[in-house]
C-alpha cells in the first residue's frame, strides 16, 4: 500500500477524536475523508501529516513507518505535501516563488526549473510572475497544489480545498483537480464535508462518525450499498419503507414486492427498505398513487415528497417537464437495482 493508516487513535483529554480508524490507498488513488463537523476528519489528516501525535495505531507511507509506538517522524521529514483550506500562499511572493519555497535543498536553477514545470502542469505558466492578489481563487488553489507537488511527495493531503469557492467555480475545479492529480499519478487524501465534492473527486471515500470509520468504499457503493443506516442517511437523500420478509428473499412493501440483494438485516420478519429518490419512478399509468406534499425545483428535475395511502412518505426524482402541483396525486412505481435493508429503528435501539 502507498498510504496505510492502521487503527489510529487520538485523544484530547477525555474526548476521543479518533478511535481505531484504518484505511489504505494504492499508488495513484484519490481518497476522501467525509463526515459531519466534529467527526474527526481534519484530526485524521493532521495525524497523517505529523501535526498530531498518535495515542495508538500506525501511519505508513510507501512502507515507511511515519508514526507508531515510539515513532513520530516530524512533518517536514515525512515527504507529504499539504494544501491548506486558505491555500496559505505568501502574498508578497510571486506564483513561481511560492512554488519554489519548499525546494530549498535544490540549486537555484533547478528550483526555478521545477517551479516552472509545476506551474505549467497546473496551467499557470503565464502567471509565474503574478502575486496571489492578482490570481483568482481557482488559480490560487492551483498554485498551492503546484507548491505541494513540487518536492515530489509520496502523498498529497488537501484540507477542505474548495471551502472558500463559490458553487459554480468549485464544481469546475473539482473536475479539474481530479484530472490533474490523475495526470500526475499523485496519491492524495482530501478532507471535505461536501458529499458531492467527495463523489466527483475520489476513488474511495471514508465516512467518519464520532471519530470512528463508518464505511470505506467507492462513491458508488457508499451511495447504493451503504453499510449502516447512518451512511444511508448522510450520503444522498433517503426514505425508508417498512417491509415484511417470509425468509424467501422476497420483501413485501406498500409499493410492491422486491427481491433483497443487500442488507444489514436478516431476511425474516420486518425490515426497513432504503429508497433513493431515483428508485421511485413517476408513471402515469401505475395503479399506485402518491399525493405530492412538497416539491423542490432543481432545474432538470423536481424532487417530490409523496405521501402514500398509508401516510408514509417517500422521495421521488422526476424530470422537470412533469410539472405537478402540491396536492396532486401522481402514479408511481419502484425501479430499484439495489435493494438495501436495515433493521427497523426500534429494533436497532434495543
Amino acid at each position: 500500500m502507498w498510504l496505510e493508516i492502521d487503527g489510529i487513535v487520538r485523544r484530547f483529554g477525555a474526548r476521543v477524536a479518533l478511535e481505531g480508524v484504518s484505511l489504505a490507498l494504492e499508488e495513484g488513488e484519490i481518497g476522501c475523508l467525509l463526515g459531519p463537523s466534529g467527526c474527526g476528519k481534519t484530526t485524521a489528516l493532521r495525524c497523517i501529516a505529523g501535526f498530531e501525535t498518535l495515542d495508538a495505531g500506525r501511519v505508513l507511507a510507501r512502507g515507511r513507518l511515519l508514526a507508531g509506538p515510539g515513532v513520530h517522524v516530524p512533518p517536514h521529514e515525512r515527504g507529504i505535501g499539504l494544501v491548506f483550506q486558505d491555500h496559505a500562499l505568501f502574498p508578497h511572493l510571486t506564483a513561481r516563488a511560492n512554488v519554489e519555497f519548499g525546494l530549498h535543498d535544490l540549486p537555484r536553477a533547478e528550483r526555478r526549473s521545477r517551479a516552472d514545470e509545476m506551474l505549467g502542469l497546473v496551467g499557470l505558466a503565464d502567471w509565474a510572475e503574478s502575486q496571489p492578489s492578482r490570481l483568482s481563487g481557482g488559480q490560487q488553489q492551483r498554485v498551492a497544489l503546484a507548491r505541494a507537488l513540487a518536492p515530489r511527495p509520496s502523498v498529497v493531503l488537501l484540507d477542505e480545498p474548495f471551502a472558500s469557492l463559490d458553487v459554480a467555480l468549485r464544481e469546475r475545479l473539482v473536475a479539474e483537480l481530479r484530472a490533474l492529480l490523475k495526470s500526475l499519478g499523485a496519491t492524495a487524501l482530501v478532507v471535505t464535508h461536501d458529499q458531492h465534492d467527495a463523489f466527483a473527486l475520489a476513488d474511495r471515500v471514508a465516512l467518519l462518525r464520532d471519530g470512528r470509520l463508518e464505511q470505506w468504499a467507492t462513491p458508488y457503493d457508499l451511495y447504493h450499498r451503504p453499510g449502516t443506516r447512518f451512511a444511508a442517511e448522510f450520503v444522498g437523500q433517503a426514505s425508508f419503507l417498512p417491509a415484511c420478509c417470509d425468509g424467501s428473499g422476497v420483501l413485501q412493501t406498500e409499493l410492491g414486492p422486491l427481491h433483497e440483494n443487500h442488507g444489514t438485516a436478516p431476511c425474516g420478519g420486518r425490515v426497513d427498505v432504503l429508497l433513493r429518490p431515483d428508485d421511485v419512478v413517476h408513471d402515469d399509468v401505475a395503479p399506485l398513487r402518491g399525493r405530492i406534499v412538497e416539491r423542490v425545483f432543481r432545474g432538470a428535475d423536481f424532487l417530490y415528497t409523496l405521501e402514500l395511502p398509508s401516510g408514509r412518505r417517500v422521495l421521488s426524482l422526476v424530470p422537470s417537464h412533469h410539472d405537478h402541483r402540491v396536492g396532486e396525486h401522481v402514479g408511481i412505481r419502484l425501479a430499484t437495482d439495489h435493494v438495501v435493508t436495515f433493521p427497523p429503528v426500534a429494533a436497532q435501539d434495543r
Side-chain angles (χ1 to χ4, degrees):
M1 287 295 175
W2 203 257
L3 174 66
E4 186 175 359
I5 298 110
D6 179 22
I8 62 173
V9 176
R10 183 65 174 120
R11 303 185 184 93
F12 298 97
R15 183 174 72 86
V16 180
L18 294 170
E19 185 63 54
V21 173
S22 298
L23 57 89
L25 288 173
E26 299 279 7
E27 182 180 5
E29 273 195 310
I30 303 172
C32 271
L33 300 176
L34 175 68
S37 297
C39 70
K41 52 188 184 291
T42 295
T43 300
L45 205 74
R46 290 176 59 82
C47 287
I48 298 167
F51 298 130
E52 299 287 350
T53 303
L54 296 182
D55 292 299
R58 302 182 306 156
V59 174
L60 300 95
R62 300 176 67 179
R64 177 191 176 203
L65 183 64
L66 303 180
V71 176
H72 181 81
V73 177
H76 64 279
E77 296 179 6
R78 293 196 173 200
I80 289 177
L82 294 168
V83 179
F84 298 98
Q85 180 175 330
D86 61 358
H87 312 317
L89 299 178
F90 297 106
H92 62 290
L93 298 181
T94 64
R96 179 188 289 117
N98 267 281
V99 177
E100 288 181 2
F101 186 78
L103 302 173
H104 295 304
D105 293 339
L106 299 180
R108 182 174 181 177
E110 192 172 343
R111 288 203 306 268
R112 184 184 180 95
S113 174
R114 180 81 62 81
D116 287 343
E117 175 191 1
M118 296 311 304
L119 287 172
L121 287 172
V122 300
L124 292 176
D126 294 337
W127 297 85
E129 295 300 326
S130 299
Q131 292 181 322
S133 61
R134 296 191 58 201
L135 302 176
S136 68
Q139 289 172 322
Q140 290 181 35
Q141 183 193 72
R142 281 183 278 164
V143 172
L145 182 61
R147 182 179 61 185
L149 292 170
R152 295 178 179 152
S154 57
V155 179
V156 181
L157 306 178
L158 301 97
D159 186 12
E160 297 278 9
F162 312 108
S164 61
L165 305 177
D166 62 69
V167 174
L169 179 59
R170 74 188 292 157
E171 287 183 356
R172 177 169 61 83
L173 287 181
V174 167
E176 286 184 3
L177 178 59
R178 177 176 171 81
L180 178 60
L181 290 171
K182 286 298 182 182
S183 71
L184 296 173
T187 305
L189 189 62
V190 184
V191 164
T192 181
H193 66 278
D194 189 296
Q195 61 185 270
H196 299 100
D197 292 350
F199 283 7
L201 182 60
D203 299 307
R204 296 173 67 83
V205 178
L207 178 61
L208 299 181
R209 178 190 186 191
D210 297 332
R212 298 177 182 271
L213 182 66
E214 195 80 3
Q215 191 166 352
W216 172 238
T218 65
Y220 185 90
D221 281 347
L222 190 58
Y223 182 84
H224 285 294
R225 301 184 182 95
T228 66
R229 197 177 186 111
F230 172 81
E233 293 178 319
F234 186 84
V235 175
Q237 294 166 302
S239 308
F240 294 93
L241 196 63
C244 292
C245 182
D246 60 8
S248 66
V250 178
L251 299 167
Q252 300 297 334
T253 78
E254 186 176 354
L255 294 177
L258 292 170
H259 292 272
E260 182 182 19
N261 56 32
H262 180 80
T264 62
C267 194
R270 298 192 64 82
V271 296
D272 283 348
V273 178
L274 168 66
L275 295 179
R276 297 297 190 190
D278 50 318
D279 292 331
V280 182
V281 176
H282 175 275
D283 186 346
D284 287 326
V285 301
L288 185 65
R289 318 292 284 181
R291 184 173 68 90
I292 299 173
V293 293
E294 293 180 19
R295 71 174 204 163
V296 178
F297 180 62
R298 308 198 323 182
D301 47 52
F302 280 105
L303 180 66
Y304 288 129
T305 302
L306 303 174
E307 186 176 77
L308 304 180
S310 66
R312 297 187 180 92
R313 295 183 175 187
V314 295
L315 300 173
S316 180
L317 199 61
V318 177
S320 61
H321 60 270
H322 293 283
D323 185 5
H324 297 283
R325 297 184 301 275
V326 170
E328 283 190 53
H329 287 77
V330 297
I332 53 174
R333 60 179 173 82
L334 287 180
T336 52
D337 289 330
H338 304 88
V339 180
V340 180
T341 63
F342 298 99
V345 172
Q348 290 186 327
D349 290 342
R350 285 198 292 268

